[in-house]
Amino acid sequence: MTPTVPLALPPPLSLAEAGQVTRAERRDSSSLLDSWSRRTKRSSSSQRLLQEKEALQEEVIAQKELVWILHRALEAFQLEKRSCAEFLAASGEQERMELLQHRERHAAELQEQLQEARGGQEDLRNSLQLRDAEVAALQDDIRRLTERNNTKQEVIMKLCDQLTSCLSSGGRSDSQSLTQLQQEVENLKDDMEAYRTQNCFLNSELYQLTHLWRTSSQQETSLMLKCSHLEARLCQVESRYLGVLRQLQENKALEPAQRGAVQKMIEDALKGGLKGVIRLDMARDHDEYGFQIVPEYEVEDMKLLAKIQALEIRSHNLLNQDGADRPLIGRWAQFLAGRSSDDLCASPELKGLLRGGVPREYRQQVWTWLVRARTRSARERHPQRYQQLCEKSDASPRPVSRQIQLDLHRTLTTNQHFSSPSSPAVQQLRRVLLAFSWQNPVIGYCQGLNRLAALALLVLQSEEEAFWCLVAVVENILPPDYYTKQLLASQADQRVLKDFLSEKLPRLSAHLQLHSVDVSLVCFNWFLVVFVESLPSDLLLRLWDAFLYEGSKVVFRYALALFKYKEDDILKIQDGVEIHQYLRFFTKTITDGRRLTSIAFSDMNPFPGRLLRNRRVLHLQRLQAELQDLEDQQEEFLTENLTENRRDDKELDVSEDEF
């Protein structure tokens, strides 16, 4: 046990010493109290000073805000004073009104700027929210990547531990396996080097073969181009040969034997056709939509002229089939790059592109947008309209179905897609026309609608889109009463065309009037079917590109352009019957589509839409008045005829007793 050590106690104090100690302790305690009270007072005063400082800072901020408000108010008062001074300094009421209007405009501009600033602030707030969302998403990605990285590190550490344990426990037994593995690695390296050498050899062989293929492809392209030019040259030579024969045929100074020889040469040329022409591709006789590139002619008395025009068309197509449309395709590709059909919107650029024509690669997309833009409200109200109308037409046939069935086999008979009665396109056309007869019971069906719907089917490749295209043309683009029983709007358009013809082409109009040629006999069908089967397919589709966008004014432009294109040829014909025969087929002899488009949209300017609308209203009113006069005359005739018949019956009225 540890011995206890006695504590040393201090000696006892005397009473005097104890008093002195007591007084010293009291003094010490009083001094401590004083120092603590002084410190307490000092800390409380510092806190009070800090509070006063904060209050003063707040007051200073409030004073600054007050000064800023007063400064703004002063500026406003000065501006108001300046405005009042300017207003009072104005010499008259006119100047004061101008000052007031200027101030109002300035206030409106400031209001617009304020609205724009608020809109910009809202956009910035939205963009900030989007950025915050993106930052949050990125932070989540970082967190996931960090967790994935940690997991991979753990896996790597475990594998390293396993490898270390294997190396430590394997010893000498694993040395042989490592040697074998090294040997296999060396062998694989040798194999890789051999394969690499072989790959280089094969790459060089592929390069040489690719070079040979490109060279042969270029040679083939050049040979095809050369053959096209040779074929075009041959067509030109044959066209000139037939032209010479035609001039010899019209030459009356030839002897009978010479005239017979010329006639025999003409018959041989017409019978021979184009058999001697080099045909590179039989599919060239029809375009991508199935239309004939070289049209057939029905004019019996002008076969030679038709053959000459056909050769010119083929020559022009052969010379311009390569590279002519590349700039246009490039412009359309640039315009449609990154846009869907819903992103297109009306613009001068789109208008100019449509007037130049839409390439086949983009025509279906552009037409679909044009049709949907014109029928958007109706389609939104009835999204399943076409399916409902098809079901209704199947359930209850209409009287017009018989006429539709008869016209199906008369539709685009020269087109490959409608040449057979069992063709799927014919059945699609039947369903579209029946659905439209239910869609518009006022019209039902009118001859000509079959051609409009057929063209829409060929381009849009969809029954429903073709149906809505027909609705857009009949109900939105062309005037009302265009396809009703009386065809008033169609007749009015023919009178409007005659007015424009006399204004734009006065010489041709006078020539036609001199020979009593009524252009309505030819042009009425142009307008009723919008030139379907009246123009070559490439010109027809280019016309429809602009027609679906700009409206019926395009039909007038192209009609006048066609007469302008062939004005000199028509003026040379001095017989009314021959002029009428020429007008029946001359539209199919147009070879230069770019020139025709330039005439339609440049030479025919100015062509304001307001003038067209006013002319339509004027002639429609006149037609209605003439129709009303005709009805009044018929009614008067029937009334007089009935009265006279009754009077005659009374004179001849005898009783039975007299016989």
Side-chain angles (χ1 to χ4, degrees):
M1 292 180 65
T2 305
T4 57
V5 180
L7 295 176
L9 296 175
L13 299 176
S14 62
L15 293 175
E17 291 176 350
Q20 291 177 359
V21 170
T22 302
R23 286 193 297 272
E25 289 177 354
R26 288 178 181 175
R27 284 196 301 272
D28 294 336
S29 61
S30 63
S31 62
L32 289 173
L33 289 174
D34 293 337
S35 61
W36 180 79
S37 62
R38 286 195 297 273
R39 289 177 183 176
T40 304
K41 292 180 181 179
R42 196 179 299 117
S43 61
S44 61
S45 62
S46 61
Q47 291 178 358
R48 187 173 60 258
L49 290 174
L50 288 173
Q51 293 176 356
E52 291 178 357
K53 180 182 177 181
E54 291 176 357
L56 290 173
Q57 288 178 351
E58 293 177 358
E59 186 176 358
V60 167
I61 293 172
Q63 292 295 329
K64 286 183 178 180
E65 292 179 356
L66 180 60
V67 169
W68 182 79
I69 294 171
L70 293 174
H71 182 68
R72 294 299 300 271
L74 181 60
E75 289 181 352
F77 287 141
Q78 289 178 353
L79 182 61
E80 183 177 0
K81 180 180 178 182
R82 193 180 302 113
S83 302
C84 293
E86 292 178 357
F87 184 77
L88 294 175
S91 59
E93 293 294 333
Q94 184 66 26
E95 294 184 2
R96 293 179 179 177
M97 289 297 295
E98 291 179 354
L99 287 174
L100 290 176
Q101 292 175 356
H102 175 71
R103 295 301 180 187
E104 290 178 356
R105 287 194 297 269
H106 185 63
E109 291 176 356
L110 292 176
Q111 187 68 23
E112 292 177 357
Q113 293 177 1
L114 179 61
Q115 294 294 335
E116 292 177 356
R118 289 178 178 174
Q121 183 181 5
E122 187 66 25
D123 294 339
L124 290 174
R125 188 178 293 111
N126 295 333
S127 63
L128 182 59
Q129 292 177 356
L130 293 175
R131 293 291 176 84
D132 292 339
E134 292 177 357
V135 169
L138 291 174
Q139 289 177 351
D140 293 338
D141 293 340
I142 292 171
R143 179 178 54 78
R144 287 194 296 269
L145 291 174
T146 304
E147 293 176 355
R148 190 180 301 173
N149 191 18
N150 294 333
T151 304
K152 289 182 178 179
Q153 292 292 336
E154 293 176 358
V155 172
I156 291 171
M157 293 299 295
K158 289 180 181 179
L159 291 175
C160 290
D161 295 339
Q162 292 177 4
L163 180 61
T164 304
S165 62
C166 290
L167 291 175
S168 61
S169 62
R172 296 178 180 178
S173 63
D174 294 337
S175 61
Q176 296 179 356
S177 62
L178 289 174
T179 305
Q180 293 177 358
L181 289 174
Q182 290 178 356
Q183 185 64 34
E184 291 178 359
V185 169
E186 293 295 332
N187 295 334
L188 290 174
K189 288 182 178 180
D190 295 337
D191 293 339
M192 287 178 62
E193 189 66 28
Y195 283 128
R196 187 178 292 108
T197 304
Q198 185 179 3
N199 191 19
C200 292
F201 174 74
L202 292 176
N203 285 335
S204 63
E205 291 291 326
L206 288 174
Y207 175 77
Q208 293 177 3
L209 289 174
T210 304
H211 179 69
L212 291 175
W213 176 79
R214 288 179 179 176
T215 304
S216 62
S217 178
Q218 291 175 358
Q219 291 176 355
E220 182 184 3
T221 304
S222 62
L223 288 174
M224 292 291 290
L225 183 61
K226 186 176 181 180
C227 289
S228 298
H229 283 280
L230 289 174
E231 186 178 356
R233 181 63 178 170
L234 184 59
C235 291
Q236 291 176 353
V237 171
E238 188 175 356
S239 173
R240 293 171 185 170
Y241 170 70
L242 294 178
V244 172
L245 290 180
R246 183 168 178 266
Q247 292 177 358
L248 291 175
Q249 184 185 25
E250 295 176 354
N251 190 1
K252 298 180 180 180
L254 295 177
E255 297 179 358
Q258 295 175 342
R259 189 181 298 277
V262 171
Q263 187 65 30
K264 182 66 169 56
M265 294 171 67
I266 291 175
E267 291 176 358
D268 293 340
L270 291 176
K271 290 179 181 178
L274 295 175
K275 293 181 180 179
V277 179
I278 301 174
R279 297 301 181 94
L280 301 178
D281 186 3
M282 294 302 294
R284 288 186 181 178
D285 292 340
H286 296 81
D287 63 4
E288 298 86 351
Y289 299 103
F291 291 102
Q292 288 184 341
I293 295 177
V294 180
E296 297 178 354
Y297 297 92
E298 301 176 355
V299 182
E300 295 294 336
D301 299 334
M302 306 186 76
K303 286 186 176 180
L304 183 60
L305 181 59
K307 179 71 175 297
I308 295 172
Q309 296 290 347
L311 288 170
E312 290 180 358
I313 291 174
R314 187 168 187 84
S315 173
H316 183 271
N317 290 335
L318 288 169
L319 291 174
N320 293 276
Q321 65 183 357
D322 293 326
D325 295 333
R326 289 181 183 175
L328 182 63
I329 294 175
R331 292 173 59 194
W332 273 103
Q334 183 179 2
F335 179 79
L336 296 175
R339 298 186 185 182
S340 63
S341 58
D342 298 331
D343 294 335
L344 295 177
C345 59
S347 64
E349 183 182 5
L350 179 60
K351 181 178 180 181
L353 287 172
L354 288 171
R355 287 185 172 185
V358 183
R360 185 186 181 278
E361 295 84 350
Y362 307 115
R363 180 168 281 124
Q364 181 181 359
Q365 175 185 355
V366 175
W367 278 32
T368 302
W369 175 80
L370 292 172
V371 171
R372 290 181 179 178
R374 288 189 175 273
T375 59
R376 181 173 290 110
S377 58
R379 299 178 81 159
E380 290 177 352
R381 291 196 305 269
H382 307 286
Q384 302 296 325
R385 182 65 170 171
Y386 179 68
Q387 290 77 9
Q388 295 171 357
L389 294 177
C390 287
E391 295 174 359
K392 186 181 293 186
S393 61
D394 292 337
S396 55
R398 293 177 60 83
V400 296
S401 59
R402 177 176 176 79
Q403 184 62 43
I404 290 175
Q405 188 65 34
L406 292 174
D407 286 348
L408 287 178
H409 308 298
R410 307 171 187 169
T411 305
L412 304 185
T413 55
T414 60
N415 189 283
Q416 289 180 324
H417 299 284
F418 293 93
S419 57
S420 174
S422 60
S423 174
V426 176
Q427 302 306 319
Q428 292 176 351
L429 178 62
R430 175 180 173 274
R431 289 191 290 269
V432 170
L433 293 176
L434 287 175
F436 182 80
S437 68
W438 283 101
Q439 164 72 16
N440 194 327
V442 176
I443 296 175
Y445 175 73
C446 177
Q447 288 186 347
L449 297 181
N450 55 332
R451 293 178 174 85
L452 302 179
L455 182 64
L457 272 173
L458 291 174
V459 177
L460 296 172
Q461 300 294 314
S462 168
E463 285 186 41
E464 185 174 3
E465 294 299 333
F467 164 77
W468 285 112
C469 181
L470 186 60
V471 172
V473 172
V474 176
E475 298 182 1
N476 297 337
I477 298 178
L478 294 175
D481 294 336
Y482 220 80
Y483 295 97
T484 52
K485 293 182 179 180
Q486 296 176 344
L487 301 174
L488 285 179
S490 303
Q491 298 181 52
D493 273 1
Q494 295 307 306
R495 298 190 179 188
V496 174
L497 176 64
K498 291 177 183 178
D499 289 349
F500 286 139
L501 192 65
S502 61
E503 295 172 5
K504 304 288 185 180
L505 303 171
R507 284 199 309 155
L508 181 61
S509 178
H511 182 70
L512 296 175
Q513 291 179 4
L514 178 63
H515 295 283
S516 302
V517 176
D518 187 4
V519 294
S520 298
L521 299 176
V522 177
C523 300
F524 189 84
N525 189 59
W526 292 358
F527 281 64
L528 201 63
V529 298
V530 195
F531 288 97
V532 177
E533 291 190 313
S534 296
L535 282 175
S537 59
D538 57 338
L539 300 181
L540 173 66
L541 295 171
R542 187 178 298 179
L543 182 152
W544 271 67
D545 293 338
F547 168 72
L548 292 176
Y549 182 80
E550 298 185 47
S552 58
K553 184 170 65 172
V554 174
V555 182
F556 285 93
R557 283 184 176 273
Y558 268 91
L560 296 172
L562 287 169
F563 284 115
K564 177 66 175 177
Y565 190 100
K566 292 291 185 178
E567 182 179 13
D568 295 337
D569 294 339
I570 299 174
L571 291 175
K572 293 177 183 178
I573 305 175
Q574 298 299 326
D575 182 73
V577 177
E578 291 186 6
I579 293 175
H580 180 70
Q581 290 179 346
Y582 183 77
L583 294 180
R584 286 179 58 192
F585 78 93
F586 84 101
T587 56
K588 297 182 180 180
T589 65
I590 305 297
T591 58
D592 194 348
R594 297 183 182 277
R595 180 188 167 201
L596 181 67
T597 303
S598 176
I599 294 173
F601 294 109
S602 298
D603 296 356
M604 292 299 110
N605 287 334
F607 206 93
R610 182 179 64 258
L611 177 62
L612 175 59
R613 290 191 295 270
N614 294 337
R615 293 283 178 86
R616 275 176 165 167
V617 171
L618 175 63
H619 287 292
L620 188 61
Q621 291 176 352
R622 290 179 179 177
L623 274 172
Q624 290 174 347
E626 293 174 5
L627 183 62
Q628 185 63 40
D629 293 341
L630 181 61
E631 292 178 354
D632 294 340
Q633 291 177 8
Q634 292 176 351
E635 185 177 356
E636 183 180 356
F637 172 77
L638 292 175
T639 304
E640 292 178 356
N641 191 19
L642 181 62
T643 304
E644 290 178 358
N645 289 336
R646 288 179 178 177
R647 187 182 302 114
D648 294 339
D649 291 342
K650 288 181 179 179
E651 292 177 356
L652 296 176
D653 188 14
V654 291
S655 63
E656 294 180 356
D657 297 337
E658 296 180 2
F659 291 96

